[in-house]
Amino acid sequence: MNPIVRRQLAGPPCYRRSSALLKRATALASVLILAGCASLSPDGGTADVQALVNGNPLMAGSAAQRMPDEASQRSVDALLARPLDVEAALRIALINGPRVQDAFATLQLSDADRVQAASLPNPVLSFSRLAQGSEREFERMLSFNVVGLVTLPWQARWAGQRHEAAKLQAAQSVLMLAADTRRAWVRAVAAQQSVVYLRDAKEAAEAGAELAHRMAQVGNWSALQRTREQLLLADASAQLARAEQAAVASREQLTRLMGLSGARAGYTLPDRLPPLPQAAPELGDVQALALRDRLDVRSAQAQNTAVAGSLGLTHATSVINAMELGVVRNTTFDNDADRTKKTKRGFELDLPIPIFDWGQARNGRAEAQYLQSAARVRDVGVLAASEAREAWQGWNTAYAIARRYRDEVLPLRKKVNEEMVLRYNGMLASVWELLGETRASMLAVNAGIEAQRDFWLADTDLQLVLTGSSPGGMTAAQTASAGDAPATGGH
């Protein structure tokens, strides 16, 4: 093409300079707008976490609260004034539990990191004064971190991805607290219920031991028969002591999860566990549900996305990871009769020379972090599918056992006990047979309570496995950081 035609198409020199200045100004304005838009979340991310856990069966319509206020404390007192059902215990834990406050504080830290990453780097003002004889020299320089300014959108996007993963982890923590509170409530009520029946069993053993003692005194029983009754009493006493300790321990665990102390720890629990559901739910493919809805799977994927973003930034800044551009003004004064003054203006550029470090280590570390994050995504996916199958099988087994006790064992045991009473009244059975049957019935009822407890624990585990996280707590793959921030130099 003719050079004259090319210049005509490109426009006059003044137009080309104006266009270049416009592009640079537009880029700078975009960075400034990005930095100005970054601000701390006013609620600390509470609304975002609540949106993630809304509708989850573990929450039972309750909402997590970042910091308890006077109104929420009054609602806690109102809930504690009556027997504490599982929904009330869950509501108190989500309002007053230290673990909720810790989860939201961690999310707030992530929010602060997000805002910090999207903030413009501060300029650096340097001042120096030099003297030589009667001459005085003052140097002022205002410098900017150019690399930090150029990579600001990338840093902001990377920090935003990390913050999204932090929201998912906070929601996981809330669901874990809800599941732990449900388990603790189930164990506390079942342990309290078992204590009642074991006390009755001990009373029956005491009656048998007292009767054996009297009969042995009059010579109607041998020492062997008397010793057997005493052994039954000692065993019943030991079982009752263990059950009472278990009741105290499970109640205190529930108290800790709800964040209660002092007079508030004297709450009342219901007399019995809720009844079993009439039928098992149709959940479909539990593996697909877990891989779709579990928060730890989504969190691992979000972390992997953040690591991929940081990998690109590390590659881009592997060789030149710092650059300072400064505006310099140097003034020299002569203390002579004329008081002459000389001023120099210019700029200064600080740029590291990549002689020894070409960024291989940073690149290698970033790539290893990405491979590690991808492996963790796969690990969490395999874990989610496996735990879903295991929890579904455990739910069905616990439900079948609890129904067997409810529909067969306990009704049959009750019928046997009634028949034994009739035989005793008709003088066809001895008092020892009646006492033995009474003890056996109480132990069967206690076994039924344990089966009912195991079902509700399995139900909680299933809901957590399908929608939240691993029932044993967060694994290393779920809690691992998405990697260190990529190095882009400092001021």
Side-chain angles (χ1 to χ4, degrees):
M1 183 183 292
N2 190 302
I4 299 177
V5 176
R6 185 183 297 111
R7 284 197 297 270
Q8 289 175 347
L9 291 176
C14 61
Y15 175 78
R16 293 198 298 272
R17 287 196 297 270
S18 300
S19 177
L21 289 173
L22 180 61
K23 290 180 179 179
R24 287 196 290 269
T26 302
L28 180 60
S30 301
V31 172
L32 292 173
I33 292 173
L34 177 64
C37 293
S39 60
L40 293 173
S41 176
D43 64 348
T46 306
D48 295 328
V49 172
Q50 189 60 40
L52 288 170
V53 299
N54 268 343
N56 193 290
L58 289 172
M59 298 293 292
S62 301
Q65 189 165 332
R66 183 164 62 113
M67 288 298 293
D69 51 20
E70 292 186 7
S72 62
Q73 292 298 327
R74 287 194 296 270
S75 66
V76 168
D77 292 333
L79 292 171
L80 293 173
R82 53 182 184 268
L84 197 68
D85 59 16
V86 64
E87 285 78 13
L90 177 60
R91 195 170 296 116
I92 292 173
L94 293 174
I95 291 174
N96 202 56
R99 282 170 52 178
V100 169
Q101 299 167 19
D102 179 79
F104 282 120
T106 304
L107 181 60
Q108 193 170 353
L109 289 173
S110 173
D111 193 32
D113 292 339
R114 175 188 64 84
V115 174
Q116 183 65 45
S119 299
L120 286 170
N122 290 324
V124 178
L125 176 63
S126 301
F127 177 82
S128 63
R129 178 183 182 276
L130 303 175
Q132 182 180 4
S134 63
E135 186 179 86
R136 302 290 183 270
E137 181 179 345
F138 297 90
E139 180 176 319
R140 289 89 73 194
M141 182 176 68
L142 187 65
S143 61
F144 298 88
N145 180 1
V146 179
V147 172
L149 190 64
V150 172
T151 61
L152 182 63
W154 210 339
Q155 290 272 21
R157 183 169 62 253
W158 179 80
Q161 292 168 342
R162 295 237 338 154
H163 187 55
E164 291 301 317
K167 290 179 184 178
L168 290 166
Q169 288 184 346
Q172 263 185 272
S173 299
V174 171
L175 289 184
M176 286 293 295
L177 174 62
D180 289 343
T181 303
R182 286 179 175 274
R183 294 192 196 102
W185 183 89
V186 168
R187 291 191 178 102
V189 175
Q192 176 182 272
Q193 199 173 347
S194 294
V195 167
V196 173
Y197 282 97
L198 288 176
R199 280 176 181 164
D200 293 339
K202 182 188 174 186
E203 290 177 0
E206 287 176 343
E210 178 63 24
L211 183 58
H213 176 69
R214 293 180 182 178
M215 294 187 68
Q217 282 184 329
V218 298
N220 290 334
W221 263 43
S222 65
L224 176 61
Q225 292 171 311
R226 176 183 175 182
T227 304
R228 284 174 177 169
E229 293 298 324
Q230 290 176 337
L231 182 60
L232 289 174
L233 175 59
D235 183 61
S237 300
Q239 290 186 36
L240 176 60
R242 284 194 293 267
E244 289 175 339
Q245 176 56 36
V248 171
S250 56
R251 182 186 176 93
E252 288 302 325
Q253 183 185 14
L254 177 61
T255 302
R256 290 192 296 270
L257 290 170
M258 293 189 296
L260 302 178
S261 60
R264 280 181 162 183
Y267 54 86
T268 303
L269 290 172
D271 294 332
R272 59 186 67 249
L273 291 171
L276 298 176
Q278 293 299 321
E282 293 293 336
L283 295 180
D285 188 352
V286 293
Q287 297 181 73
L289 287 174
L291 292 174
R292 185 192 67 188
D293 297 338
R294 269 179 63 149
L295 292 179
D296 60 347
V297 174
R298 296 167 60 185
S299 176
Q301 293 169 345
Q303 287 178 350
N304 189 54
T305 302
V307 173
S310 69
L311 175 63
L313 181 55
T314 302
H315 282 323
T317 60
S318 60
V319 178
I320 305 299
N321 66 342
M323 182 168 63
E324 299 277 344
L325 178 63
V327 180
V328 182
R329 179 183 178 93
N330 192 342
T331 304
T332 304
F333 298 89
D334 289 329
N335 289 332
D336 52 11
D338 296 334
R339 305 290 293 178
T340 59
K341 181 179 72 171
K342 294 179 291 183
T343 301
K344 302 176 182 178
R345 299 176 179 85
F347 68 91
E348 179 177 309
L349 179 65
D350 294 335
L351 187 66
I353 302 176
I355 298 178
F356 306 108
D357 183 7
W358 285 84
Q360 299 96 328
R362 284 191 296 273
N363 285 336
R365 187 174 190 276
E367 291 172 0
Q369 285 178 338
Y370 177 75
L371 293 175
Q372 184 184 57
S373 177
R376 285 170 176 165
V377 172
R378 182 174 178 274
D379 177 53
V380 174
V382 172
L383 180 69
S386 175
E387 287 183 341
R389 295 190 300 268
E390 180 183 358
W392 176 238
Q393 182 61 38
W395 191 99
N396 281 284
T397 301
Y399 183 63
I401 293 174
R403 283 194 61 182
R404 180 67 58 88
Y405 270 94
R406 183 194 65 182
D407 299 338
E408 298 180 26
V409 176
L410 295 182
L412 290 174
R413 178 58 66 182
K414 181 181 178 182
K415 184 175 181 181
V416 169
N417 194 43
E418 291 173 350
E419 290 293 329
M420 183 59 68
V421 171
L422 291 176
R423 290 175 61 83
Y424 174 74
N425 291 335
M427 303 183 69
L428 298 176
S430 68
V431 65
W432 308 110
E433 292 175 318
L434 179 61
L435 289 174
E437 183 56 40
T438 302
R439 286 193 295 265
S441 297
M442 292 174 182
L443 294 176
V445 171
N446 189 60
I449 294 172
E450 292 177 351
Q452 193 176 6
R453 175 204 64 194
D454 292 343
F455 165 75
W456 287 115
L457 293 177
D459 183 72
T460 299
D461 287 345
L462 178 61
Q463 298 298 337
L464 182 62
V465 160
L466 293 182
T467 60
S469 179
S470 174
M474 296 185 188
T475 65
Q478 300 160 27
T479 56
S481 168
D484 298 334
T488 57
H491 300 314

